[in-house]
Protein backbone atom coordinates (compact mmCIF):
# COMPACT_ATOMS: atom_id res chain seq x y z
CA UNK A 1 0.00 0.00 0.00
CA UNK A 2 2.83 2.34 -0.82
CA UNK A 3 1.92 5.87 -1.79
CA UNK A 4 -1.33 5.52 0.17
CA UNK A 5 -2.14 8.30 2.61
CA UNK A 6 -3.90 7.88 5.94
CA UNK A 7 -7.03 9.42 4.41
CA UNK A 8 -6.95 6.92 1.59
CA UNK A 9 -6.54 4.05 4.06
CA UNK A 10 -9.63 5.35 5.85
CA UNK A 11 -11.48 5.37 2.54
CA UNK A 12 -10.59 1.71 2.00
CA UNK A 13 -11.76 0.60 5.44
CA UNK A 14 -14.20 -2.26 5.01
CA UNK A 15 -13.95 -2.24 1.21
CA UNK A 16 -12.04 -4.16 -1.40
CA UNK A 17 -10.15 -1.74 -3.61
CA UNK A 18 -9.89 -3.97 -6.68
CA UNK A 19 -13.62 -4.64 -6.75
CA UNK A 20 -14.17 -0.87 -6.52
CA UNK A 21 -11.93 -0.49 -9.58
CA UNK A 22 -14.03 -2.99 -11.54
CA UNK A 23 -17.28 -1.38 -10.40
CA UNK A 24 -16.00 2.09 -11.30
CA UNK A 25 -15.00 1.20 -14.83
CA UNK A 26 -18.14 -0.83 -15.40
CA UNK A 27 -20.32 2.23 -14.78
CA UNK A 28 -17.94 4.54 -16.68
CA UNK A 29 -18.17 2.23 -19.69
CA UNK A 30 -21.96 2.56 -19.53
CA UNK A 31 -21.78 6.36 -19.33
CA UNK A 32 -19.32 6.56 -22.23
CA UNK A 33 -21.50 4.24 -24.29
CA UNK A 34 -24.73 6.17 -23.75
CA UNK A 35 -23.14 9.61 -24.08
CA UNK A 36 -21.15 8.86 -27.22
CA UNK A 37 -24.22 7.38 -28.92
CA UNK A 38 -25.80 10.85 -28.72
CA UNK A 39 -22.92 13.33 -28.89
CA UNK A 40 -20.71 11.51 -31.43
CA UNK A 41 -23.46 10.08 -33.64
CA UNK A 42 -23.26 12.88 -36.25
CA UNK A 43 -19.48 12.68 -36.60
CA UNK A 44 -17.43 10.44 -38.86
CA UNK A 45 -15.73 7.26 -37.67
CA UNK A 46 -18.90 5.46 -36.66
CA UNK A 47 -16.67 2.57 -35.58
CA UNK A 48 -15.64 4.55 -32.48
CA UNK A 49 -19.26 4.85 -31.38
CA UNK A 50 -19.73 1.12 -31.97
CA UNK A 51 -16.65 0.26 -29.89
CA UNK A 52 -17.78 2.52 -27.04
CA UNK A 53 -21.20 0.89 -27.30
CA UNK A 54 -19.50 -2.48 -26.92
CA UNK A 55 -17.77 -1.21 -23.79
CA UNK A 56 -21.19 -0.28 -22.40
CA UNK A 57 -22.35 -3.82 -23.11
CA UNK A 58 -19.27 -5.15 -21.30
CA UNK A 59 -19.88 -2.78 -18.38
CA UNK A 60 -23.35 -4.16 -17.66
CA UNK A 61 -22.13 -7.76 -17.92
CA UNK A 62 -19.30 -6.89 -15.54
CA UNK A 63 -21.90 -5.59 -13.08
CA UNK A 64 -23.62 -8.99 -13.31
CA UNK A 65 -20.36 -10.79 -12.51
CA UNK A 66 -19.62 -8.49 -9.56
CA UNK A 67 -23.13 -8.91 -8.18
CA UNK A 68 -22.81 -12.68 -8.42
CA UNK A 69 -19.48 -12.66 -6.59
CA UNK A 70 -20.64 -10.40 -3.78
CA UNK A 71 -24.09 -11.91 -3.36
CA UNK A 72 -22.75 -15.44 -3.74
CA UNK A 73 -20.27 -14.72 -0.96
CA UNK A 74 -23.05 -13.48 1.33
CA UNK A 75 -25.20 -16.55 0.65
CA UNK A 76 -22.27 -18.93 1.17
CA UNK A 77 -21.47 -17.31 4.52
CA UNK A 78 -25.14 -17.54 5.46
CA UNK A 79 -24.91 -21.28 4.76
CA UNK A 80 -27.30 -23.51 6.67
CA UNK A 81 -29.26 -20.50 7.93
CA UNK A 82 -30.90 -20.48 4.50
CA UNK A 83 -32.82 -23.58 5.58
CA UNK A 84 -35.11 -21.30 7.59
CA UNK A 85 -37.35 -18.58 6.20
CA UNK A 86 -35.82 -16.15 8.68
CA UNK A 87 -32.42 -16.63 7.05
CA UNK A 88 -33.82 -16.09 3.56
CA UNK A 89 -35.84 -13.07 4.63
CA UNK A 90 -32.81 -11.60 6.39
CA UNK A 91 -30.88 -11.78 3.13
CA UNK A 92 -33.75 -10.28 1.13
CA UNK A 93 -34.25 -7.47 3.63
CA UNK A 94 -30.61 -6.42 3.40
CA UNK A 95 -30.74 -6.43 -0.40
CA UNK A 96 -34.01 -4.50 -0.47
CA UNK A 97 -32.60 -1.79 1.79
CA UNK A 98 -29.67 -1.57 -0.63
CA UNK A 99 -31.49 -1.57 -3.96
CA UNK A 100 -35.16 -0.65 -3.71
CA UNK A 101 -35.24 2.93 -2.31
CA UNK A 102 -33.10 4.39 -5.09
CA UNK A 103 -34.80 2.27 -7.75
CA UNK A 104 -38.31 3.40 -6.78
CA UNK A 105 -37.26 7.06 -6.58
CA UNK A 106 -35.92 6.95 -10.14
CA UNK A 107 -38.90 4.95 -11.35
CA UNK A 108 -41.27 7.61 -10.06
CA UNK A 109 -39.03 10.35 -11.51
CA UNK A 110 -39.25 8.67 -14.91
CA UNK A 111 -43.04 8.50 -14.67
CA UNK A 112 -43.39 12.14 -13.57
CA UNK A 113 -40.91 13.55 -16.10
CA UNK A 114 -42.06 11.51 -19.08
CA UNK A 115 -45.78 11.85 -18.50
CA UNK A 116 -47.42 15.21 -17.93
CA UNK A 117 -48.54 15.84 -14.38
CA UNK A 118 -52.14 15.37 -15.46
CA UNK A 119 -51.27 12.00 -16.92
CA UNK A 120 -49.20 10.75 -14.00
CA UNK A 121 -51.92 8.44 -12.55
CA UNK A 122 -52.33 6.83 -15.98
CA UNK A 123 -48.56 6.49 -16.23
CA UNK A 124 -48.34 4.76 -12.87
CA UNK A 125 -50.96 2.24 -13.94
CA UNK A 126 -49.30 1.61 -17.31
CA UNK A 127 -45.89 1.10 -15.74
CA UNK A 128 -47.14 -0.89 -12.75
CA UNK A 129 -45.10 -3.95 -13.70
CA UNK A 130 -41.92 -2.00 -12.96
CA UNK A 131 -42.82 -1.83 -9.28
CA UNK A 132 -42.58 -5.64 -9.12
CA UNK A 133 -39.73 -6.08 -11.65
CA UNK A 134 -42.11 -7.86 -14.01
CA UNK A 135 -41.63 -5.53 -16.98
CA UNK A 136 -39.29 -7.97 -18.73
CA UNK A 137 -39.70 -11.23 -16.84
CA UNK A 138 -40.49 -13.53 -19.80
CA UNK A 139 -41.11 -10.98 -22.56
CA UNK A 140 -39.30 -8.09 -24.20
CA UNK A 141 -38.41 -5.25 -21.88
CA UNK A 142 -40.23 -1.98 -22.80
CA UNK A 143 -38.35 1.15 -23.78
CA UNK A 144 -39.57 3.04 -20.72
CA UNK A 145 -36.91 3.30 -17.95
CA UNK A 146 -34.59 1.45 -20.29
CA UNK A 147 -31.78 0.79 -17.81
CA UNK A 148 -34.16 -1.11 -15.47
CA UNK A 149 -33.82 -4.34 -17.47
CA UNK A 150 -30.60 -5.33 -15.71
CA UNK A 151 -32.00 -4.39 -12.31
CA UNK A 152 -34.97 -6.70 -12.89
CA UNK A 153 -32.59 -9.58 -13.68
CA UNK A 154 -30.61 -8.92 -10.51
CA UNK A 155 -33.68 -8.65 -8.26
CA UNK A 156 -35.12 -11.91 -9.54
CA UNK A 157 -31.75 -13.56 -9.05
CA UNK A 158 -31.71 -12.32 -5.44
CA UNK A 159 -35.22 -13.69 -4.99
CA UNK A 160 -34.87 -17.10 -6.64
CA UNK A 161 -31.34 -18.23 -5.75
CA UNK A 162 -31.76 -18.46 -1.95
CA UNK A 163 -35.10 -20.23 -2.40
CA UNK A 164 -33.50 -22.81 -4.72
CA UNK A 165 -30.62 -23.36 -2.29
CA UNK A 166 -32.98 -23.52 0.69
CA UNK A 167 -35.08 -26.25 -0.91
CA UNK A 168 -31.99 -28.39 -1.50
CA UNK A 169 -30.77 -27.78 2.05
CA UNK A 170 -34.15 -28.88 3.40
CA UNK A 171 -33.85 -32.04 1.29
CA UNK A 172 -30.62 -32.87 3.07
CA UNK A 173 -28.01 -31.54 0.64
CA UNK A 174 -24.86 -29.91 1.94
CA UNK A 175 -24.26 -26.22 1.34
CA UNK A 176 -21.59 -27.04 -1.24
CA UNK A 177 -23.83 -29.47 -3.12
CA UNK A 178 -26.73 -27.01 -3.07
CA UNK A 179 -24.61 -24.26 -4.57
CA UNK A 180 -23.10 -26.51 -7.23
CA UNK A 181 -26.62 -27.55 -8.20
CA UNK A 182 -27.72 -23.92 -8.33
CA UNK A 183 -24.79 -23.10 -10.60
CA UNK A 184 -25.63 -26.00 -12.91
CA UNK A 185 -29.32 -25.15 -13.22
CA UNK A 186 -29.02 -21.35 -13.38
CA UNK A 187 -26.34 -21.51 -16.07
CA UNK A 188 -27.59 -24.38 -18.21
CA UNK A 189 -31.30 -23.50 -18.37
CA UNK A 190 -31.00 -19.89 -19.65
CA UNK A 191 -28.29 -20.99 -22.09
CA UNK A 192 -30.49 -23.75 -23.50
CA UNK A 193 -33.51 -21.45 -23.68
CA UNK A 194 -31.57 -18.79 -25.58
CA UNK A 195 -30.27 -21.42 -27.99
CA UNK A 196 -33.74 -22.87 -28.56
CA UNK A 197 -35.32 -19.47 -29.14
CA UNK A 198 -32.50 -18.46 -31.50
CA UNK A 199 -32.91 -21.60 -33.57
CA UNK A 200 -36.69 -21.96 -33.64
CA UNK A 201 -37.65 -18.26 -33.41
CA UNK A 202 -34.96 -16.43 -35.39
CA UNK A 203 -37.22 -13.37 -35.63
CA UNK A 204 -36.47 -12.59 -31.97
CA UNK A 205 -33.73 -10.00 -31.68
CA UNK A 206 -30.77 -9.61 -29.35
CA UNK A 207 -32.85 -7.22 -27.23
CA UNK A 208 -35.07 -10.13 -26.22
CA UNK A 209 -32.24 -12.56 -25.51
CA UNK A 210 -30.16 -10.03 -23.61
CA UNK A 211 -32.81 -8.26 -21.52
CA UNK A 212 -35.35 -10.93 -20.56
CA UNK A 213 -35.07 -12.08 -16.96
CA UNK A 214 -35.54 -15.83 -17.45
CA UNK A 215 -32.99 -15.83 -20.28
CA UNK A 216 -30.20 -14.03 -18.42
CA UNK A 217 -29.97 -15.41 -14.88
CA UNK A 218 -26.79 -17.21 -15.93
CA UNK A 219 -24.98 -13.88 -16.28
CA UNK A 220 -24.93 -13.38 -12.51
CA UNK A 221 -24.22 -17.02 -11.72
CA UNK A 222 -20.73 -16.84 -13.24
CA UNK A 223 -19.87 -14.43 -10.46
CA UNK A 224 -21.22 -16.96 -7.95
CA UNK A 225 -18.76 -19.49 -9.40
CA UNK A 226 -15.96 -17.05 -8.50
CA UNK A 227 -17.47 -16.68 -5.01
CA UNK A 228 -17.52 -20.47 -4.57
CA UNK A 229 -13.85 -20.66 -5.59
CA UNK A 230 -12.97 -17.91 -3.12
CA UNK A 231 -15.04 -19.48 -0.33
CA UNK A 232 -13.73 -23.06 -0.60
CA UNK A 233 -10.30 -22.64 -2.21
CA UNK A 234 -8.98 -19.16 -1.29
CA UNK A 235 -5.34 -20.14 -1.84
CA UNK A 236 -6.03 -21.33 -5.39
CA UNK A 237 -8.22 -18.27 -5.95
CA UNK A 238 -5.17 -16.12 -5.29
CA UNK A 239 -2.59 -18.40 -6.89
CA UNK A 240 -4.33 -18.57 -10.26
CA UNK A 241 -5.36 -14.90 -10.46
CA UNK A 242 -2.90 -14.17 -13.27
CA UNK A 243 -4.09 -17.17 -15.24
CA UNK A 244 -7.70 -16.01 -14.76
CA UNK A 245 -6.69 -12.54 -15.94
CA UNK A 246 -5.10 -13.99 -19.09
CA UNK A 247 -8.20 -16.10 -19.74
CA UNK A 248 -10.43 -13.05 -19.34
CA UNK A 249 -8.37 -10.92 -21.72
CA UNK A 250 -8.31 -13.70 -24.31
CA UNK A 251 -12.06 -14.21 -24.03
CA UNK A 252 -12.83 -10.51 -24.32
CA UNK A 253 -10.51 -10.30 -27.34
CA UNK A 254 -12.26 -13.24 -28.99
CA UNK A 255 -15.68 -11.68 -28.37
CA UNK A 256 -14.53 -8.33 -29.74
CA UNK A 257 -13.03 -9.98 -32.81
CA UNK A 258 -16.17 -12.01 -33.45
CA UNK A 259 -18.40 -8.94 -33.31
CA UNK A 260 -16.28 -6.37 -35.15
CA UNK A 261 -14.09 -8.40 -37.49
CA UNK A 262 -16.46 -11.28 -38.14
CA UNK A 263 -19.11 -8.90 -39.54
CA UNK A 264 -21.96 -10.84 -37.96
CA UNK A 265 -25.52 -9.64 -37.53
CA UNK A 266 -25.47 -9.62 -33.74
CA UNK A 267 -29.20 -8.98 -33.52
CA UNK A 268 -30.06 -12.36 -35.08
CA UNK A 269 -26.98 -14.49 -34.52
CA UNK A 270 -27.33 -17.80 -32.68
CA UNK A 271 -23.76 -17.83 -31.40
CA UNK A 272 -23.98 -14.26 -30.16
CA UNK A 273 -27.27 -14.91 -28.37
CA UNK A 274 -25.90 -18.02 -26.70
CA UNK A 275 -22.11 -18.07 -26.45
CA UNK A 276 -21.32 -14.34 -26.36
CA UNK A 277 -24.05 -13.57 -23.84
CA UNK A 278 -22.55 -16.31 -21.69
CA UNK A 279 -18.89 -15.57 -22.41
CA UNK A 280 -18.98 -11.86 -21.56
CA UNK A 281 -20.07 -12.20 -17.90
CA UNK A 282 -17.82 -15.26 -17.66
CA UNK A 283 -14.87 -13.09 -18.73
CA UNK A 284 -15.98 -10.49 -16.19
CA UNK A 285 -16.05 -13.10 -13.42
CA UNK A 286 -12.57 -14.25 -14.43
CA UNK A 287 -11.28 -10.74 -13.69
CA UNK A 288 -12.40 -10.94 -10.07
CA UNK A 289 -9.49 -13.01 -8.61
CA UNK A 290 -6.87 -10.62 -10.00
CA UNK A 291 -8.65 -7.44 -8.99
CA UNK A 292 -9.68 -8.83 -5.60
CA UNK A 293 -5.97 -9.03 -4.72
CA UNK A 294 -5.06 -5.75 -6.41
CA UNK A 295 -2.95 -3.50 -4.18
CA UNK A 296 -4.10 0.13 -3.93
CA UNK A 297 -1.58 2.77 -4.95
CA UNK A 298 -1.63 6.54 -5.31
CA UNK A 299 -4.18 8.35 -3.17
CA UNK A 300 -5.88 10.37 -5.97
CA UNK A 301 -6.52 7.20 -7.98
CA UNK A 302 -7.87 5.46 -4.89
CA UNK A 303 -10.18 8.37 -4.09
CA UNK A 304 -11.48 8.47 -7.66
CA UNK A 305 -12.30 4.77 -7.66
CA UNK A 306 -13.86 4.94 -4.22
CA UNK A 307 -16.06 7.89 -5.24
CA UNK A 308 -17.14 6.29 -8.51
CA UNK A 309 -17.80 2.90 -6.93
CA UNK A 310 -19.80 4.53 -4.11
CA UNK A 311 -21.94 6.36 -6.65
CA UNK A 312 -22.07 3.56 -9.23
CA UNK A 313 -25.65 2.47 -8.51
CA UNK A 314 -26.94 6.03 -8.59
CA UNK A 315 -24.87 6.80 -11.69
CA UNK A 316 -26.41 3.84 -13.47
CA UNK A 317 -29.94 4.86 -12.49
CA UNK A 318 -29.68 8.56 -13.33
CA UNK A 319 -27.62 8.63 -16.52
CA UNK A 320 -30.40 8.27 -19.09
CA UNK A 321 -32.52 10.90 -17.33
CA UNK A 322 -29.59 13.31 -17.40
CA UNK A 323 -28.97 12.48 -21.05
CA UNK A 324 -32.64 13.04 -21.94
CA UNK A 325 -32.56 16.42 -20.21
CA UNK A 326 -29.45 17.47 -22.14
CA UNK A 327 -30.90 16.35 -25.47
CA UNK A 328 -34.08 18.29 -24.75
CA UNK A 329 -32.29 21.52 -23.87
CA UNK A 330 -29.15 21.27 -26.00
CA UNK A 331 -28.67 20.37 -29.63
CA UNK A 332 -25.86 17.80 -29.70
CA UNK A 333 -25.70 17.99 -33.51
CA UNK A 334 -25.44 21.76 -33.86
CA UNK A 335 -22.31 21.83 -35.98
CA UNK A 336 -20.12 20.43 -33.24
CA UNK A 337 -16.71 19.01 -34.09
CA UNK A 338 -14.87 16.38 -32.07
CA UNK A 339 -13.82 18.91 -29.44
CA UNK A 340 -17.34 20.21 -28.93
CA UNK A 341 -18.80 16.72 -28.80
CA UNK A 342 -16.13 15.69 -26.32
CA UNK A 343 -16.93 18.66 -24.10
CA UNK A 344 -20.63 17.74 -24.16
CA UNK A 345 -19.71 14.17 -23.19
CA UNK A 346 -17.61 15.50 -20.31
CA UNK A 347 -20.49 17.76 -19.24
CA UNK A 348 -22.84 14.78 -19.33
CA UNK A 349 -20.58 12.63 -17.15
CA UNK A 350 -20.02 15.51 -14.70
CA UNK A 351 -23.76 16.14 -14.44
CA UNK A 352 -24.31 12.44 -13.76
CA UNK A 353 -21.82 12.57 -10.89
CA UNK A 354 -23.60 15.60 -9.41
CA UNK A 355 -27.05 14.02 -9.61
CA UNK A 356 -25.74 10.69 -8.33
CA UNK A 357 -24.14 12.38 -5.33
CA UNK A 358 -27.47 13.95 -4.40
CA UNK A 359 -29.41 10.69 -4.74
CA UNK A 360 -26.73 8.84 -2.80
CA UNK A 361 -26.90 11.30 0.10
CA UNK A 362 -30.68 11.68 0.17
CA UNK A 363 -31.85 8.18 -0.73
CA UNK A 364 -29.20 5.49 -0.97
CA UNK A 365 -27.16 6.33 2.13
CA UNK A 366 -30.18 6.44 4.48
CA UNK A 367 -31.26 3.05 3.12
CA UNK A 368 -27.80 1.63 3.79
CA UNK A 369 -27.86 3.05 7.30
CA UNK A 370 -31.19 1.32 7.98
CA UNK A 371 -29.78 -1.92 6.60
CA UNK A 372 -26.70 -1.76 8.80
CA UNK A 373 -28.69 -0.87 11.91
CA UNK A 374 -31.13 -3.73 11.31
CA UNK A 375 -28.45 -6.39 11.05
CA UNK A 376 -24.71 -5.51 11.23
CA UNK A 377 -22.34 -5.57 8.37
CA UNK A 378 -19.88 -8.39 7.80
CA UNK A 379 -16.90 -8.76 5.50
CA UNK A 380 -17.57 -8.14 1.83
CA UNK A 381 -21.20 -7.38 2.53
CA UNK A 382 -20.23 -3.78 3.24
CA UNK A 383 -18.93 -3.42 -0.30
CA UNK A 384 -22.01 -5.01 -1.81
Amino acid sequence: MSHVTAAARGTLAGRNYGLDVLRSWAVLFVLLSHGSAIFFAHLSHRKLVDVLGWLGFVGVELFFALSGFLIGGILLRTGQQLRDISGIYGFWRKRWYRTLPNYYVYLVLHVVLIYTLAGTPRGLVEQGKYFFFLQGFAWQHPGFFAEAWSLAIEEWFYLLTPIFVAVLLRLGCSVRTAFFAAVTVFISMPLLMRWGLSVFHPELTLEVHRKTVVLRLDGIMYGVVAAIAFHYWPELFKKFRWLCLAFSIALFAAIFRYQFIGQVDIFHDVRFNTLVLAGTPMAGAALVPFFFHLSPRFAPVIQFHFLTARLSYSLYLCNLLVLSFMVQHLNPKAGLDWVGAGLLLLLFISACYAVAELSYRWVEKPGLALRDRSAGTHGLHKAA
Side-chain angles (χ1 to χ4, degrees):
M1 296 205 20
S2 57
H3 306 290
V4 179
T5 65
R9 285 193 292 271
T11 292
L12 288 171
R15 301 187 66 88
N16 180 279
Y17 172 67
L19 299 186
D20 276 353
V21 172
L22 286 178
R23 190 180 291 108
S24 297
W25 285 100
V27 75
L28 285 173
F29 287 162
V30 172
L31 298 185
L32 288 170
S33 170
H34 291 167
S36 64
I38 299 298
F39 302 124
F40 293 168
H42 65 292
L43 300 171
S44 57
H45 302 294
R46 173 71 196 182
K47 187 66 74 175
L48 174 63
V49 176
D50 292 339
V51 170
L52 291 174
W54 180 78
L55 287 179
F57 162 67
V58 168
V60 176
E61 302 302 314
L62 185 53
F63 271 130
F64 284 159
L66 284 168
S67 293
F69 179 71
L70 294 167
I71 299 309
I74 294 170
L75 291 173
L76 283 163
R77 291 192 296 274
T78 304
Q80 287 289 344
Q81 297 178 40
L82 292 173
R83 288 171 54 92
D84 303 321
I85 189 63
S86 59
I88 297 175
Y89 178 71
F91 167 76
W92 285 340
R93 182 181 59 196
K94 293 172 187 176
R95 297 315 304 162
W96 291 337
Y97 275 129
R98 172 70 178 89
T99 60
L100 295 189
N102 230 11
Y103 171 80
Y104 285 130
V105 165
Y106 278 99
L107 174 56
V108 172
L109 280 175
H110 274 78
V111 172
V112 171
L113 294 178
I114 291 178
Y115 293 89
T116 63
L117 290 178
T120 296
R122 175 178 60 84
L124 287 171
V125 171
E126 289 180 354
Q127 310 306 339
K129 289 182 179 180
Y130 283 81
F131 288 89
F132 304 98
F133 298 97
L134 290 169
Q135 68 273 17
F137 181 75
W139 38 83
Q140 185 168 357
H141 194 281
F144 175 81
F145 198 3
E147 60 268 54
W149 69 270
S150 63
L151 306 177
I153 293 170
E154 294 204 19
E155 291 297 331
W156 278 101
F157 186 88
Y158 303 154
L159 185 70
L160 296 175
T161 305
I163 293 176
F164 185 91
V165 171
V167 169
L168 293 181
L169 293 177
R170 298 283 289 185
L171 291 174
C173 294
S174 66
V175 173
R176 183 182 298 195
T177 300
F179 272 89
F180 275 109
V183 167
T184 302
V185 172
F186 278 65
I187 287 180
S188 61
M189 292 304 295
L191 190 62
L192 288 172
M193 285 191 289
R194 291 201 305 272
W195 175 83
L197 288 173
S198 296
V199 172
F200 297 107
H201 294 279
E203 73 279 4
L204 296 178
T205 68
L206 175 63
E207 289 292 293
V208 175
H209 294 280
R210 183 185 176 212
K211 298 182 179 181
T212 303
V213 171
V214 296
L215 300 180
R216 290 307 317 280
L217 293 173
D218 61 318
I220 305 176
M221 193 54 81
Y222 295 110
V224 176
V225 173
I228 292 172
F230 175 73
H231 186 81
Y232 290 110
W233 306 285
E235 297 84 5
L236 295 178
F237 184 87
K238 182 177 182 179
K239 180 179 180 179
F240 290 107
R241 66 190 187 278
W242 286 98
L243 182 61
C244 290
L245 176 65
F247 170 76
S248 177
I249 293 173
L251 189 51
F252 276 130
I255 292 169
F256 181 88
R257 185 182 186 282
Y258 181 74
Q259 179 173 344
F260 289 97
I261 300 177
Q263 300 296 322
V264 297
D265 176 13
I266 65 172
F267 292 100
H268 299 90
D269 183 70
V270 175
R271 281 176 289 188
F272 199 96
N273 292 334
T274 53
L275 300 180
V276 172
L277 287 183
T280 310
M282 183 189 301
L287 289 174
V288 171
F290 175 83
F291 280 89
F292 184 86
H293 291 287
L294 185 68
S295 298
R297 294 177 181 271
F298 308 113
V301 176
I302 295 170
Q303 295 288 353
F304 167 76
H305 285 128
F306 169 73
L307 171 66
T308 306
R310 176 172 63 85
L311 298 181
S312 59
Y313 186 44
S314 293
L315 283 169
Y316 187 76
L317 285 167
C318 80
N319 79 95
L320 290 183
L321 274 181
V322 173
L323 191 60
S324 298
F325 181 86
M326 291 184 66
V327 170
Q328 184 178 359
H329 292 86
L330 299 173
N331 183 3
K333 299 180 181 179
L336 293 175
D337 56 9
W338 282 99
V339 174
L343 290 174
L344 276 181
L345 179 62
L346 181 61
L347 176 63
F348 160 65
I349 295 175
S350 301
C352 286
Y353 270 83
V355 173
E357 178 67 31
L358 293 177
S359 63
Y360 176 82
R361 291 186 181 184
W362 295 346
V363 182
E364 193 173 345
K365 188 176 181 180
L368 293 172
L370 286 173
R371 177 197 70 180
D372 294 341
R373 281 202 299 269
S374 67
T377 304
H378 305 283
L380 284 177
H381 173 58
K382 191 169 185 178

